Amino acid sequence: MKTYSPKERLNDLDLPNLFNYATKELSQDAFLCWALEWRNIRGHQMCEFAYLLLESFVKESVYKNQIDPLDIEKVELIKQYKNIDVLVLAKLRNGSILPIIIEDKTDTSEHDNQLDRYREIIIEEYTDFPEPICIYYKTGYIFESYSEMEKHHYIVYDKLKILNIMKIFEDYEMPLLFCDYYAHLVTKQKYENHISFVYDRAVQCGNISILIETLNIDFAQWELMKKLTSNIETNAENNIRKGNNPNGNPWTLYDIDDRYLKGNDEAFYRVGRNKEGYYLSLRQYPKYDTAEFMKKEGINDKEILFQDKMKRLDIYRECFEKSVRELNKDITIYTSNRGAYESEIGCFRLDSIDTLVWLENNLAAVTNRFLQLVKQR
């Protein structure tokens, strides 16, 4: 079989690519183990790649001024050690072992405090160094906050970081598996870039459909919410979260500051879709019939709590209407009374470029004015 350089492989689109079919995280685990084990085989380009990958891990860690990556003589790879995706045991010339945790993700996210648990396990079991190097390796869109990952002592390793190393070898003949993975990541990055800039293209072309056609994709909604809420407060992206309806359609929320809301209400902006199309709505959310909520309110009657919720909703609607009308007397605000817990304070249909641009320019002012008015009531 003919061998290729990554650049040739990328340009030969007729070749089948293993990673079009091997899409699960276990397949990516296998690639990382395969690639890193080449560090044990001297005299091959893949050995150099494995060295550069390990070097990048060390240079971003707390050991960047303490460990020379050239001192890594051998690596041992362990998959699924106590549920850790990949554990790399880097054996140094002085006989010590530097553990490297790789938590590998494609399109899923961290859950159940798994990052802290894995780190604590390795700190207890490998004592040559006070800390393992912890890598959060993700090749899908990164919804997670980099700063939050760093609080857990994890280094976020995205597509661009691995591609920057792989690109060094793009003109050399490399194993086809390496070339396939390179082409796979380049394709994913191009697609992500395309989606990330779709808002700007829609505005430039004056065509809302360019944006709307992508909003069935979770990270397209996330990018839109980032765009609309970025000026509300510092680090606004940390308040964004996402999920899916029972039918599989994605939704994206932005939690607003609830200090000035009445009772024990929460409120958030939501990007989603209903029968009229995509929308951005501000919603009230108290789960008023739970024991915890009743205890906070000091009331055990669900009907009374529901009526109180609706009275607060009327106040929020008045304040939101005023906050919008002070800036725009013509834009349409929709409301719906559907939903026992989640009630619409006000909704904008994302059906025109004018509405979209107005929201981008004014949502922060509307939100802050809304909270100010609620505080005064």
Side-chain angles (χ1 to χ4, degrees), residues 232-362:
I232 292 178
E233 59 184 309
T234 305
N235 299 321
E237 189 178 356
N238 292 345
N239 294 337
I240 302 177
R241 52 197 171 99
K242 69 182 183 72
N244 293 87
N245 293 321
N247 63 8
N249 289 335
W251 49 257
T252 305
L253 307 183
Y254 174 85
D255 293 309
I256 69 169
D257 189 342
D258 60 9
R259 287 176 297 173
Y260 302 136
L261 300 181
K262 306 298 180 184
N264 290 289
D265 288 341
E266 299 174 14
F268 50 76
Y269 285 110
R270 173 174 174 138
V271 170
R273 184 179 184 178
N274 56 27
K275 62 182 181 179
E276 285 82 26
Y278 286 99
Y279 59 80
L280 175 77
S281 69
L282 179 61
R283 299 190 176 186
Q284 171 203 36
Y285 185 82
K287 207 159 186 181
Y288 60 87
D289 59 357
T290 63
E292 182 182 3
F293 191 91
M294 290 180 178
K295 184 177 180 181
K296 286 180 180 178
E297 293 290 311
I299 300 172
N300 292 319
D301 189 311
K302 294 179 184 179
E303 183 58 30
I304 291 174
L305 288 169
F306 176 73
Q307 294 303 324
D308 287 347
K309 167 196 179 307
M310 298 306 290
K311 289 175 184 176
R312 296 193 302 274
L313 178 61
D314 288 339
I315 293 172
Y316 298 150
R317 285 177 172 175
E318 288 175 19
C319 293
F320 189 68
E321 176 86 21
K322 181 175 174 56
S323 68
V324 173
R325 294 297 168 227
E326 288 177 353
L327 297 171
N328 189 324
K329 298 189 184 308
D330 300 319
I331 195 167
T332 303
I333 303 171
Y334 298 89
T335 57
S336 167
N337 290 322
R338 290 176 296 181
Y341 302 132
E342 192 173 318
S343 298
E344 210 157 62
I345 297 168
C347 176
F348 304 101
R349 291 180 186 164
L350 301 177
D351 55 7
S352 76
I353 289 293
D354 288 344
T355 297
L356 196 64
V357 172
W358 188 85
L359 288 170
E360 180 189 0
N361 293 333
N362 294 282

Side-chain angles (χ1 to χ4, degrees), residues 7-37:
K7 185 184 288 184
E8 288 174 322
R9 171 67 186 87
L10 188 62
N11 294 330
D12 194 340
L13 301 179
D14 292 333
L15 280 179
N17 190 316
L18 173 67
F19 292 97
N20 289 342
Y21 306 97
T23 57
K24 302 297 184 185
E25 286 164 4
L26 287 174
S27 302
Q28 191 158 264
D29 292 351
F31 174 82
L32 289 170
C33 290
W34 172 82
L36 287 167
E37 194 171 10

Side-chain angles (χ1 to χ4, degrees), residues 3-228:
T3 57
Y4 292 86
S5 70
K7 185 184 288 184
E8 288 174 322
R9 171 67 186 87
L10 188 62
N11 294 330
D12 194 340
L13 301 179
D14 292 333
L15 280 179
N17 190 316
L18 173 67
F19 292 97
N20 289 342
Y21 306 97
T23 57
K24 302 297 184 185
E25 286 164 4
L26 287 174
S27 302
Q28 191 158 264
D29 292 351
F31 174 82
L32 289 170
C33 290
W34 172 82
L36 287 167
E37 194 171 10
W38 279 95
R39 182 59 189 147
N40 300 334
I41 311 296
R42 300 296 188 263
H44 193 284
Q45 294 286 4
M46 282 300 301
C47 178
E48 178 67 13
F49 170 74
Y51 165 76
L52 291 175
L53 188 53
L54 290 165
E55 180 188 48
S56 72
F57 293 165
V58 172
K59 283 188 173 180
E60 291 201 44
S61 77
V62 294
Y63 302 118
K64 60 185 175 183
N65 297 319
Q66 302 172 41
I67 296 175
D68 185 344
L70 287 171
D71 286 340
I72 299 175
E73 290 194 322
K74 189 175 182 181
V75 294
E76 180 183 352
L77 287 304
I78 307 174
K79 281 184 61 183
Q80 296 301 315
Y81 178 74
K82 297 189 176 179
N83 293 320
I84 296 168
D85 289 332
V86 178
L87 177 62
V88 184
L89 301 179
K91 301 179 180 181
L92 307 185
R93 285 178 184 170
N94 63 6
S96 60
I97 294 176
L98 172 65
I100 303 172
I101 296 169
I102 302 178
E103 179 57 24
D104 172 32
K105 302 291 185 184
T106 51
D107 296 303
T108 59
S109 298
E110 183 266 343
H111 55 85
D112 299 332
N113 297 315
Q114 60 183 159
L115 300 184
D116 291 333
R117 284 190 285 108
Y118 299 158
R119 175 173 164 268
E120 288 163 5
I121 288 169
I122 299 306
I123 286 174
E124 186 175 327
E125 295 188 10
Y126 292 89
T127 57
D128 289 345
F129 293 90
E131 281 276 346
I133 295 177
C134 301
I135 304 294
Y136 189 75
Y137 184 98
K138 186 169 181 180
T139 55
Y141 183 89
I142 296 182
F143 298 97
E144 300 86 345
S145 162
Y146 279 54
S147 60
E148 285 299 309
M149 291 294 108
E150 289 165 2
K151 286 179 185 176
H152 293 282
H153 305 275
Y154 277 74
I155 301 161
V156 179
Y157 215 89
D158 60 18
K159 289 185 291 298
L160 289 176
K161 286 184 179 178
I162 185 72
L163 282 171
N164 284 339
I165 298 175
M166 298 185 87
K167 190 175 176 63
I168 294 169
F169 302 90
E170 69 174 3
D171 292 318
Y172 296 93
E173 287 194 357
M174 301 293 283
L176 187 57
L177 184 61
F178 180 96
C179 297
D180 270 7
Y181 192 65
Y182 178 75
H184 170 67
L185 292 188
V186 168
T187 301
K188 287 192 75 167
Q189 187 63 52
K190 285 181 177 177
Y191 177 66
E192 195 172 295
N193 290 344
H194 169 78
I195 297 299
S196 296
F197 290 107
V198 75
Y199 177 97
D200 293 333
R201 286 197 301 277
V203 172
Q204 288 166 7
C205 297
N207 184 354
I208 191 69
S209 297
I210 294 173
L211 173 67
I212 295 303
E213 289 168 0
T214 68
L215 291 182
N216 62 325
I217 303 166
D218 56 359
F219 72 86
Q221 285 193 12
W222 190 279
E223 285 287 328
L224 175 61
M225 188 66 90
K226 271 179 24 181
K227 192 84 170 177
L228 298 180

